Amino acid sequence: MAIKADDLCFRDLTEDDRQTWGELQASDPDLASPYFSFGYVAAADVARPGVRVLRFSEAGAPIAYWPFRPGPLGTARPVGGPMDDLHGIVAAPDTVLDLTGADVTRAVGGYSFSAVPSSQRRHGIIGQVGSGNQVMDLSSGYQAWLDERAGDSSNFRREQRKVEKLLDAPDTIVTHDIDDPAIMKRLFEQKSEAYRQSGHFDLFAIDWPAKLLTELLERRDETARGILSTLSIGGKVAAISYCMRSRDVMHYWFPAYEEAFAKQKPGLALLFSLAMWGADNGIRELHLGLGETRYKRQMATWMAPVRCGTLALSPAQKLATRCTELSFKVEGTHKLLDVPAKYARKYERAVLTGTWRA
């Protein structure tokens, strides 16, 4: 039986679609992150309208959903732009889709992706190996995770002792799953400052990223909702963390700490506390996101592989992809030859964020 793909506005999906989407997500462990949930896509569409979905059906029954944000040349991108640490197609693990068919290419000229689960190579989304998603395994409880990591690294044991000393101090107070506009405002300020110091575009200089986090915090959707946490020392907030959780997976998303308390490592202490709280509240995996930073390597039990790159389907997208690849290849050989690669990066940031200021 042939598989059919329908290009739909996300808001036109039905309650039956929501239920089927959830069942398909639950069938594949690689889709456990709340990023793949119907609830997250719904929040992203509220914060920044325009999300579309390719719904794949066989014999009239939906078998897969591909949410995306359309762009120039018909290039599909993650629904949350640079906010999406993970993205891809929601389907059962034994489902294989042909993305080169006419019903797909009429809607999607290509796909620009930065962190698709490696298992989605079966759909032809290949690209290159990217920085994997670091995962803390809490399925056997906090203490089991702690024992495993402590047994693996003496550096971890040293950090653990510092953290436990801070958490046990009488003037340390930790709160989880709160709703406090003043704390959210301070988090946005801290992240904006961090972006500026690192030379990256300040995501919170535009309105929709903060709107997305606020939407997730307020909607209380069990498939994707915000978790705001703080650690205070002596009555002053020293660290803030914004996570996103589903029923049993939590993504460590936007952490921040006050520079005045840096030596006490309040951000790391809050992460340990989040792991303890999460394990007590049904979380079996705490995802630390992409990258090889030291604290992620120390805290993670394993790394889930991802792919990054571009899937070129239309002639225009194939030409653009070849030109971009060539510009990166010659970059650094001459100042004038650096211009196309810089423009390509600028263009991608602008499309992902929705502003040429990026």
Side-chain angles (χ1 to χ4, degrees), residues 82-109:
M83 303 280 278
D84 288 11
D85 282 5
L86 296 167
H87 38 267
I89 295 172
V90 177
D94 58 350
T95 296
V96 178
L97 303 173
D98 177 8
L99 304 182
T100 64
D103 51 351
V104 174
T105 58
R106 276 195 298 268
V108 175

Tab-separated table of all heavy atoms in Angstrom, residues 82-109:
chain	number	residue	atom	x	y	z
A	82	PRO	N	16.629	27.937	16.430
A	82	PRO	CA	17.811	27.608	17.224
A	82	PRO	C	17.484	27.140	18.638
A	82	PRO	O	18.385	26.698	19.358
A	82	PRO	CB	18.581	28.936	17.260
A	82	PRO	CG	17.524	29.975	17.097
A	82	PRO	CD	16.505	29.377	16.174
A	83	MET	N	16.217	27.206	19.038
A	83	MET	CA	15.821	26.738	20.374
A	83	MET	C	15.746	25.210	20.441
A	83	MET	O	15.742	24.627	21.517
A	83	MET	CB	14.455	27.309	20.751
A	83	MET	CG	14.368	28.817	20.727
A	83	MET	SD	15.055	29.573	22.194
A	83	MET	CE	13.652	29.393	23.314
A	84	ASP	N	15.679	24.553	19.269
A	84	ASP	CA	15.461	23.108	19.234
A	84	ASP	C	16.774	22.346	19.284
A	84	ASP	O	17.472	22.208	18.273
A	84	ASP	CB	14.712	22.719	17.954
A	84	ASP	CG	13.255	23.135	17.971
A	84	ASP	OD1	12.875	23.899	18.875
A	84	ASP	OD2	12.510	22.708	17.077
A	85	ASP	N	17.110	21.804	20.430
A	85	ASP	CA	18.312	20.979	20.541
A	85	ASP	C	18.145	19.658	19.811
A	85	ASP	O	19.137	19.040	19.411
A	85	ASP	CB	18.636	20.712	22.015
A	85	ASP	CG	19.293	21.902	22.686
A	85	ASP	OD1	19.402	22.957	22.032
A	85	ASP	OD2	19.709	21.781	23.846
A	86	LEU	N	16.916	19.185	19.675
A	86	LEU	CA	16.620	17.951	18.948
A	86	LEU	C	15.395	18.180	18.061
A	86	LEU	O	14.528	18.981	18.406
A	86	LEU	CB	16.343	16.798	19.925
A	86	LEU	CG	17.500	16.366	20.828
A	86	LEU	CD1	16.997	15.455	21.934
A	86	LEU	CD2	18.591	15.670	20.030
A	87	HIS	N	15.314	17.459	16.942
A	87	HIS	CA	14.182	17.601	16.040
A	87	HIS	C	14.175	16.426	15.073
A	87	HIS	O	15.103	15.623	15.053
A	87	HIS	CB	14.243	18.932	15.270
A	87	HIS	CG	15.633	19.340	14.867
A	87	HIS	ND1	16.415	20.159	15.636
A	87	HIS	CD2	16.395	19.007	13.799
A	87	HIS	CE1	17.595	20.339	15.064
A	87	HIS	NE2	17.608	19.633	13.935
A	88	GLY	N	13.110	16.333	14.266
A	88	GLY	CA	13.037	15.255	13.290
A	88	GLY	C	11.622	14.766	13.075
A	88	GLY	O	10.642	15.425	13.435
A	89	ILE	N	11.510	13.572	12.488
A	89	ILE	CA	10.230	12.967	12.121
A	89	ILE	C	9.753	12.055	13.247
A	89	ILE	O	10.545	11.307	13.828
A	89	ILE	CB	10.377	12.166	10.810
A	89	ILE	CG1	10.703	13.116	9.648
A	89	ILE	CG2	9.115	11.372	10.501
A	89	ILE	CD1	11.053	12.423	8.351
A	90	VAL	N	8.461	12.134	13.545
A	90	VAL	CA	7.857	11.284	14.571
A	90	VAL	C	7.201	10.091	13.874
A	90	VAL	O	6.224	10.251	13.131
A	90	VAL	CB	6.819	12.066	15.405
A	90	VAL	CG1	6.140	11.148	16.413
A	90	VAL	CG2	7.488	13.245	16.103
A	91	ALA	N	7.763	8.917	14.095
A	91	ALA	CA	7.258	7.695	13.462
A	91	ALA	C	7.706	6.492	14.275
A	91	ALA	O	8.646	6.594	15.081
A	91	ALA	CB	7.776	7.578	12.023
A	92	ALA	N	7.072	5.363	14.074
A	92	ALA	CA	7.490	4.128	14.730
A	92	ALA	C	8.881	3.746	14.238
A	92	ALA	O	9.254	4.049	13.100
A	92	ALA	CB	6.490	3.015	14.439
A	93	PRO	N	9.676	3.059	15.066
A	93	PRO	CA	11.067	2.774	14.691
A	93	PRO	C	11.216	1.864	13.482
A	93	PRO	O	12.288	1.845	12.861
A	93	PRO	CB	11.650	2.127	15.952
A	93	PRO	CG	10.481	1.660	16.735
A	93	PRO	CD	9.371	2.614	16.426
A	94	ASP	N	10.176	1.116	13.115
A	94	ASP	CA	10.262	0.243	11.943
A	94	ASP	C	9.658	0.883	10.695
A	94	ASP	O	9.603	0.259	9.626
A	94	ASP	CB	9.596	-1.101	12.215
A	94	ASP	CG	8.127	-0.971	12.618
A	94	ASP	OD1	7.678	0.171	12.863
A	94	ASP	OD2	7.443	-2.002	12.708
A	95	THR	N	9.211	2.124	10.791
A	95	THR	CA	8.660	2.839	9.637
A	95	THR	C	9.793	3.488	8.852
A	95	THR	O	10.652	4.154	9.421
A	95	THR	CB	7.659	3.924	10.087
A	95	THR	OG1	6.548	3.302	10.712
A	95	THR	CG2	7.178	4.741	8.906
A	96	VAL	N	9.777	3.280	7.537
A	96	VAL	CA	10.776	3.887	6.656
A	96	VAL	C	10.040	4.725	5.614
A	96	VAL	O	9.160	4.222	4.910
A	96	VAL	CB	11.634	2.815	5.951
A	96	VAL	CG1	12.636	3.483	5.010
A	96	VAL	CG2	12.376	1.962	6.984
A	97	LEU	N	10.384	6.001	5.531
A	97	LEU	CA	9.712	6.918	4.617
A	97	LEU	C	10.606	7.260	3.437
A	97	LEU	O	11.827	7.405	3.591
A	97	LEU	CB	9.329	8.206	5.352
A	97	LEU	CG	8.437	8.057	6.588
A	97	LEU	CD1	8.296	9.403	7.282
A	97	LEU	CD2	7.069	7.493	6.214
A	98	ASP	N	9.986	7.421	2.282
A	98	ASP	CA	10.685	7.914	1.091
A	98	ASP	C	10.382	9.408	0.970
A	98	ASP	O	9.261	9.806	0.644
A	98	ASP	CB	10.191	7.163	-0.150
A	98	ASP	CG	10.843	7.680	-1.432
A	98	ASP	OD1	11.784	8.504	-1.334
A	98	ASP	OD2	10.400	7.275	-2.521
A	99	LEU	N	11.380	10.238	1.247
A	99	LEU	CA	11.181	11.679	1.244
A	99	LEU	C	11.418	12.301	-0.131
A	99	LEU	O	11.377	13.525	-0.263
A	99	LEU	CB	12.096	12.342	2.276
A	99	LEU	CG	11.950	11.819	3.718
A	99	LEU	CD1	12.876	12.599	4.645
A	99	LEU	CD2	10.507	11.909	4.194
A	100	THR	N	11.651	11.460	-1.136
A	100	THR	CA	11.912	11.988	-2.475
A	100	THR	C	10.674	11.969	-3.363
A	100	THR	O	10.731	12.405	-4.520
A	100	THR	CB	13.021	11.174	-3.168
A	100	THR	OG1	12.580	9.817	-3.359
A	100	THR	CG2	14.299	11.184	-2.332
A	101	GLY	N	9.533	11.485	-2.838
A	101	GLY	CA	8.315	11.416	-3.623
A	101	GLY	C	7.730	12.792	-3.902
A	101	GLY	O	7.983	13.766	-3.183
A	102	ALA	N	6.903	12.859	-4.951
A	102	ALA	CA	6.351	14.145	-5.399
A	102	ALA	C	5.482	14.800	-4.340
A	102	ALA	O	5.485	16.034	-4.206
A	102	ALA	CB	5.545	13.943	-6.686
A	103	ASP	N	4.738	14.011	-3.536
A	103	ASP	CA	3.866	14.625	-2.533
A	103	ASP	C	4.672	15.253	-1.402
A	103	ASP	O	4.193	16.168	-0.721
A	103	ASP	CB	2.851	13.617	-1.988
A	103	ASP	CG	3.482	12.329	-1.517
A	103	ASP	OD1	4.697	12.130	-1.753
A	103	ASP	OD2	2.769	11.494	-0.913
A	104	VAL	N	5.916	14.797	-1.216
A	104	VAL	CA	6.803	15.423	-0.224
A	104	VAL	C	7.493	16.639	-0.822
A	104	VAL	O	7.487	17.733	-0.235
A	104	VAL	CB	7.857	14.420	0.293
A	104	VAL	CG1	8.865	15.132	1.212
A	104	VAL	CG2	7.195	13.280	1.043
A	105	THR	N	8.067	16.482	-2.002
A	105	THR	CA	8.860	17.574	-2.584
A	105	THR	C	8.013	18.760	-3.028
A	105	THR	O	8.537	19.861	-3.203
A	105	THR	CB	9.700	17.054	-3.766
A	105	THR	OG1	8.823	16.474	-4.752
A	105	THR	CG2	10.697	16.006	-3.302
A	106	ARG	N	6.706	18.552	-3.203
A	106	ARG	CA	5.835	19.703	-3.466
A	106	ARG	C	5.779	20.637	-2.264
A	106	ARG	O	5.599	21.841	-2.409
A	106	ARG	CB	4.413	19.231	-3.816
A	106	ARG	CG	4.207	18.860	-5.273
A	106	ARG	CD	2.730	18.752	-5.612
A	106	ARG	NE	2.076	17.706	-4.843
A	106	ARG	CZ	1.944	16.447	-5.246
A	106	ARG	NH1	2.444	16.072	-6.418
A	106	ARG	NH2	1.310	15.554	-4.498
A	107	ALA	N	5.924	20.072	-1.065
A	107	ALA	CA	5.829	20.863	0.166
A	107	ALA	C	7.190	21.244	0.729
A	107	ALA	O	7.342	22.302	1.344
A	107	ALA	CB	5.036	20.090	1.217
A	108	VAL	N	8.177	20.375	0.520
A	108	VAL	CA	9.488	20.559	1.145
A	108	VAL	C	10.572	20.444	0.073
A	108	VAL	O	10.714	19.392	-0.567
A	108	VAL	CB	9.723	19.499	2.241
A	108	VAL	CG1	11.140	19.615	2.792
A	108	VAL	CG2	8.706	19.662	3.362
A	109	GLY	N	11.338	21.524	-0.102
A	109	GLY	CA	12.433	21.489	-1.064
A	109	GLY	C	13.709	20.935	-0.475
A	109	GLY	O	14.622	20.527	-1.190
